[in-house]
Amino acid sequence: MRKAIIVDDHPFILATVRMLVINAGFQVVAECDNGIEALQQCESLQPDLLVLDLGIPGLGGLEVIRHLRERKNACKIVVLTSQNSEQFTLPCIQAGASGYVSKNDNLSMLTDVIKAVMSGYSLFPQVSPATGENTMADTEKLARLSHREMLVMKYLINGLSNKEIAETLSLSEKTISTYKTRLYTKLNVSNLLELADVASRYEKT
């Protein structure tokens, strides 16, 4: 089972996040309330996922991310914070995080974001430079995709045919066609170019 570490200094949030992370298919191997311990636990336990608050004592969340990336720790990092996403989204991306969820939103969204991140996507609020407003529409749509839908989308934008995807996933072509239709509907696109455009903003390069 994949391993996760949760870092947050609020007990209620910690308990809620623990449940969501377990529901996403992880074993929670450590819980920390400060950045120094978070680094030590990540070095020791080598988790697959780190769910990290930014405003933690000892060493801030951004510094934790930077230190982990400097040490070549490959765990996926999802930031879960009440900090202003307008101010912190870009620094989190630059530091090396894979996703960002605001505590002011519905926390249940965290499960979907984790699944998307573990499928190779980065999910962050989009900040409009013209208005300064966050537009989460595309992020939310992508986060609602199932793991299987994510896989089918990745194969489609990589140029595989329905038949090739069906063979790879041991499914029927009809089933793949259904997934493709569902993707177009959920993401509000009408062709592969539009699908690739939506996906390219979040896919890890």
Side-chain angles (χ1 to χ4, degrees):
M1 181 178 287
R2 295 179 296 185
K3 300 181 294 184
I5 291 176
I6 305 170
V7 185
D8 199 294
D9 60 344
H10 295 87
F12 175 75
I13 295 291
L14 195 61
T16 303
V17 172
R18 182 192 309 122
M19 179 185 66
L20 294 171
V21 170
I22 291 172
N23 287 345
F26 288 81
Q27 176 189 4
V28 177
V29 293
E31 297 174 356
C32 315
D33 62 3
N34 67 84
I36 295 174
E37 184 183 357
L39 276 181
Q40 293 171 342
Q41 294 286 13
C42 285
E43 287 293 305
S44 173
L45 298 172
Q46 294 295 310
D48 302 285
L49 172 70
L50 175 65
V51 179
L52 176 69
D53 189 9
L54 293 182
I56 49 176
L59 190 67
L62 280 172
E63 287 304 310
V64 171
I65 300 171
R66 293 188 185 109
H67 279 290
L68 287 173
R69 294 311 182 222
E70 287 172 1
R71 298 174 186 183
K72 308 301 182 185
N73 191 302
C75 72
K76 300 290 187 180
I77 301 173
V78 174
V79 171
L80 177 66
T81 182
S82 57
Q83 302 282 6
N84 184 349
S85 57
E86 176 75 21
Q87 181 180 353
F88 284 95
T89 293
L90 185 57
C92 285
I93 294 172
Q94 293 171 334
S98 300
Y100 187 111
V101 178
S102 172
K103 290 180 180 179
N104 299 320
D105 296 331
N106 188 340
L107 281 184
S108 63
M109 181 181 174
L110 177 64
T111 302
D112 292 328
V113 171
I114 289 172
K115 290 178 180 178
V117 162
M118 298 309 295
S119 293
Y121 291 85
S122 295
L123 295 179
F124 291 91
Q126 293 181 45
V127 180
S128 169
T131 64
E133 296 177 352
N134 290 335
T135 55
M136 291 290 290
D138 285 343
T139 301
E140 290 175 349
K141 289 175 185 176
L142 198 62
R144 291 191 186 108
L145 298 182
S146 68
H147 179 65
R148 181 60 57 81
E149 288 167 343
M150 280 284 190
L151 286 176
V152 170
M153 179 173 70
K154 291 179 77 173
Y155 286 133
L156 284 170
I157 63 179
N158 285 330
L160 273 68
S161 67
N162 285 11
K163 182 179 180 181
E164 290 170 328
I165 299 172
E167 292 173 351
T168 301
L169 298 179
S170 300
L171 298 171
S172 69
E173 285 188 59
K174 183 177 181 181
T175 299
I176 299 303
S177 180
T178 299
Y179 276 120
K180 186 175 179 179
T181 301
R182 196 180 300 166
L183 283 167
Y184 281 18
T185 300
K186 285 188 174 184
L187 298 177
N188 193 28
V189 299
S190 58
N191 56 59
L192 280 176
L193 284 177
E194 292 178 359
L195 182 67
D197 181 60
V198 172
S200 67
R201 290 195 286 269
Y202 307 101
E203 189 169 15
K204 284 283 189 183
T205 55

